[in-house]
Amino acid sequence: MPGAEDPPPAAGRQGVADQPGCVEDGVQLGVDEALGRGESVLDVDSDPEEELRLPRGAGSLFSAVTVHLHGRSRMAISDAMVMAHDESTVISGPDGVVTADGSATVLGSGVVNASGRAHVVAGGSASVTAWGHARLELADAATARVSGEASVLAGEDSRVWAGGLSQVELRQDAMCLVSGLAPDGGVRIVTPDAVAPGQEGQVYRAGGGISTLADPTTWCQMFHVAVDNGVATVFKAVDTFWTTAWAVRQGIFYRPGSLPVAPDWEDADTGGGLHFSPTPFQARQVVRSCTHVVSCGVRIDEMRPLTDEVCKAPRVVRACEKVDE
C-alpha cells in the first residue's frame, strides 16, 4: 500500500505513464491538477476530439513549464511553451512558443520551430523556423526562415527567407529572399506565372519582380517597415543617456523630440552614418545593453541598407520618439 507521502499514481499512454506530470486521456482536469502540483514538465496523450486548454501564464518563461503533446492530442494555448510530437495539434496564440516534429500540426501564430514532417499554418505576426520536410502555409504578416527540403505556400503579406533545397510558392504580396543555397541544389521559387531556381541574394515577389535588399524600398517592404510620404519609420536602441558607446564619441544623441544628424556620413556600404533596425526587437539585438528604444523617421531616398537587419541614413527627418517597451 502506498505510503502517506507517496505521490499520486500517474496514468497515461505506454512509455509515458510512469513519468511525473503525465495526464491520462487528455482530461482537462488532469492538466489543471498537474499545473496545480507545480509540475515543470507535462506529458499529454489525449483523445483528439477533446481540445485541451492551458490558462494564460501556464508554461511561460516565468513558471518554466513545458508541455509535451503525444499521439493525436489537441491543445489550445495563449502564451505557453509546447513540444508537439507524433500527430498532435497545437492552436497557438501570438505569445505561444511551439516546437513541432514528427507529423505534428501547428495552427495560429506565435514563435514556431518545425522539423520532420510537421505542418504549420501561421498568420498574424507569427515567426517560423523550419527545416527537414516541414510544410508551411503563411498568411497576414507571418515570417519564416526555411532550409532543408521544407516547402512554403506564402500568401498575403508574408515574408520568407529560404535556403537549402526548399521550395517557396508566392502569392498575393508575399516576398522571398534566397539565402544559403545547398551545395548540391537550390531553392525553387514558384509564382503564378513561372517556376524558377532561386539565386543567392535575390528577393522574389509573387508578381514576378526581382530585386535585392540593397534597394531601400525592397528592404523596407521585406521587413514591413512603415513608409509614409517617403519617410520610413526605423528604430534605434540607446542607453540611459539616449546614445550608444560609438555615437556619444560623435556627439550624437537620440533624445525624444530631437533630429540627430551624422557628422561623418558616407554614402557607401561602410563608413559613417546613423544606424537603425527595422523593428524594436532587432534594435535590441544590435545594442543588447540598451535602456530605451526610439523610433525615428528617415528619408527612404537617403537610406542605405547594410545587412538583412541594419540600415544607415545621414539624418533623422521626423523626430525621435520613445516607443513602448
Side-chain angles (χ1 to χ4, degrees):
M1 178 178 296
E5 297 182 357
D6 289 341
R13 73 183 184 92
Q14 185 66 32
V16 177
D18 297 330
Q19 300 178 17
C22 177
V23 179
E24 182 181 21
D25 297 331
V27 178
Q28 181 68 55
L29 179 60
V31 172
D32 296 339
E33 289 179 342
L35 291 173
R37 292 195 300 269
E39 299 286 357
S40 61
V41 178
L42 304 184
D43 281 277
V44 177
D45 191 346
S46 66
D47 187 326
E49 295 183 0
E50 179 180 9
E51 183 174 295
L52 303 176
R53 294 183 176 275
L54 287 185
R56 175 167 287 277
S60 69
L61 293 176
F62 298 102
S63 57
V65 175
T66 301
V67 178
H68 289 264
L69 288 186
H70 302 276
R72 298 177 62 196
S73 303
R74 185 178 180 90
M75 177 173 283
I77 65 172
S78 57
D79 58 352
M81 300 175 65
V82 176
M83 309 285 286
H85 310 286
D86 305 323
E87 297 180 60
S88 59
T89 299
V90 179
I91 302 93
S92 176
D95 298 319
V97 178
V98 182
T99 298
D101 57 25
S103 297
T105 298
V106 182
L107 309 173
S109 54
V111 176
V112 181
N113 295 298
S115 61
R117 296 187 179 276
H119 180 204
V120 180
V121 181
S125 57
S127 176
V128 184
T129 301
W131 60 98
H133 290 83
R135 295 180 297 118
L136 279 58
E137 298 177 43
L138 306 179
D140 300 324
T143 61
R145 296 178 183 269
V146 300
S147 58
E149 297 183 53
S151 62
V152 184
L153 174 58
E156 297 188 19
D157 206 26
S158 58
R159 301 288 184 263
V160 183
W161 282 254
L165 297 169
S166 55
Q167 174 175 302
V168 181
E169 181 175 350
L170 300 173
R171 297 180 179 177
Q172 296 165 303
D173 294 320
M175 298 169 63
C176 175
L177 169 65
V178 175
S179 178
L181 297 175
D184 56 346
V187 175
R188 186 166 71 162
I189 303 295
V190 180
T191 66
D193 299 322
V195 177
Q199 300 297 316
E200 183 77 25
Q202 299 291 304
V203 177
Y204 296 82
R205 302 170 187 269
I210 302 175
S211 57
T212 72
L213 289 184
D215 172 51
T217 298
T218 300
W219 190 88
C220 288
Q221 292 174 340
M222 192 69 190
F223 290 101
H224 295 115
V225 172
V227 178
D228 184 20
N229 291 323
V231 176
T233 298
V234 289
F235 299 88
K236 184 73 177 182
V238 294
D239 60 23
T240 304
F241 302 100
W242 307 97
T243 186
T244 67
W246 176 88
V248 71
R249 295 196 294 269
Q250 305 294 319
I252 301 171
F253 294 85
Y254 298 85
R255 298 184 183 93
S258 67
L259 295 168
V261 176
D264 58 348
W265 168 252
E266 292 181 34
D267 189 11
D269 291 340
T270 58
L274 308 179
H275 293 73
F276 302 98
S277 298
T279 68
F281 175 80
Q282 289 164 308
R284 286 185 174 278
Q285 297 302 302
V286 174
V287 184
R288 293 181 178 272
S289 60
C290 67
T291 304
H292 308 291
V293 175
V294 295
S295 66
C296 306
V298 301
R299 288 178 50 137
I300 195 170
D301 60 358
E302 295 180 342
M303 175 191 296
R304 180 128 187 165
L306 299 178
T307 69
D308 282 11
E309 300 180 345
V310 177
C311 72
K312 71 176 188 176
R315 56 180 177 155
V316 170
V317 298
R318 191 182 65 243
C320 300
E321 181 178 350
K322 182 175 179 291
V323 301
D324 292 336
E325 300 180 46

